[in-house]
């Protein structure tokens, strides 16, 4: 259903000028619908076209560019191209920290995505330190202990600790 709605939205607004915000938004809706229907290669094409459009028409919309880059990184991850996804996620996180600070929800989400990719690349120690030293303190301060993103961060830390073949007895401690 979501894929059909994505295509319907795109077809409805395709005739509008390239500069029309609704047309641009439907492009993202289409890409997202394709991606969640397990067709990341096709979604990647849509998101790359969207990124080119945003850069060309709204080059100063850094927030919009970051969102599009996040969609591209998600597609790369789904395609198993984790090295490329991590490179992009590092840039996204660094830019979000510079623009919004470490306690912004979008920055925390970008850091969480980066930590998940670090885990997928078996970079467990880096994932653990990223979560413990950067994400947890910022998320606690700005989101609070009961926020769903906070719970996701704890889950990612637990998985990184559990699956690290070099773990030690001291690793299960949440704070060091």
């Amino acid at each position: 259903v979501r894929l059909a709605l994505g295509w319907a939205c795109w077809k409805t607004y395709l005739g509008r000028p390239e500069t029309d915000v609704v047309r641009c938004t439907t492009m993202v809706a289409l890409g997202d619908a394709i991606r969640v229907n397990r067709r990341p290669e096709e979604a990647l094409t849509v998101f790359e076209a969207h990124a080119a459009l945003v850069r060309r028409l709204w080059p100063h919309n850094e927030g919009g560019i970051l969102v599009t880059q996040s969609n591209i990184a998600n597609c790369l991850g789904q395609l198993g191209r984790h090295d490329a996804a991590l490179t992009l996620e590092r840039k996204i996180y660094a830019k979000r920290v510079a623009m919004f600070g470490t306690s912004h929800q979008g920055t925390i989400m970008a850091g969480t995505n980066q930590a998940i990719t670090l885990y997928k690349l078996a970079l467990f120690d880096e994932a653990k330190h990223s979560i413990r030293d950067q994400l947890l303190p910022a998320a606690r301060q700005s989101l609070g202990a009961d926020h769903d993103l906070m719970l996701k961060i704890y889950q990612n830390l637990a998985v990184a600790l559990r699956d690290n073949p070099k773990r030690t007895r001291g690793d299960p401690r949440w704070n060091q």
Side-chain angles (χ1 to χ4, degrees):
V1 173
R2 188 172 182 173
L3 185 57
L5 288 172
W7 279 111
C9 284
W10 175 244
K11 288 178 183 179
T12 300
Y13 297 104
L14 178 60
R16 290 189 177 194
E18 261 190 345
T19 56
D20 185 85
V21 175
V22 175
R23 180 183 188 267
C24 196
T25 302
T26 61
M27 194 176 206
V28 174
L30 174 61
D32 194 46
I34 294 170
R35 184 183 57 79
V36 298
N37 276 277
R38 296 187 172 100
R39 294 163 52 184
E41 196 163 308
E42 295 170 47
L44 181 60
T45 303
V46 173
F47 289 132
E48 286 174 337
H50 181 259
L53 182 71
V54 171
R55 283 188 193 106
R56 186 168 42 87
L57 297 177
W58 302 286
H60 301 293
N61 182 0
E62 293 183 41
I65 292 169
L66 289 172
V67 169
T68 302
Q69 287 176 328
S70 294
N71 288 328
I72 291 170
N74 286 335
C75 289
L76 292 170
Q78 283 184 314
L79 290 167
R81 296 168 52 189
H82 300 298
D83 287 322
L86 181 59
T87 299
L88 189 52
E89 287 167 347
R90 287 184 195 278
K91 290 176 185 175
I92 293 165
Y93 182 70
K95 187 72 171 179
R96 283 194 170 277
V97 168
M99 287 176 61
F100 306 113
T102 57
S103 296
H104 186 269
Q105 186 171 342
T107 304
I108 295 167
M109 190 67 211
T112 302
N113 289 341
Q114 178 181 292
I116 290 168
T117 303
L118 287 166
Y119 163 78
K120 288 177 182 175
L121 288 168
L123 299 170
F124 300 108
D125 289 335
E126 190 175 347
K128 177 181 73 174
H129 292 295
S130 171
I131 293 169
R132 279 188 180 166
D133 300 339
Q134 297 169 359
L135 298 176
L136 277 177
R140 272 192 205 113
Q141 176 189 358
S142 63
L143 303 176
D146 294 335
H147 195 277
D148 61 333
L149 184 52
M150 187 73 184
L151 299 175
K152 184 177 180 178
I153 294 168
Y154 275 123
Q155 179 186 17
N156 289 322
L157 178 58
V159 169
L161 291 172
R162 179 196 70 200
D163 293 350
N164 185 350
K166 297 185 225 168
R167 68 182 173 270
T168 65
R169 287 186 175 272
D171 278 340
R173 291 190 307 250
W174 295 105
N175 297 309
Q176 290 181 326

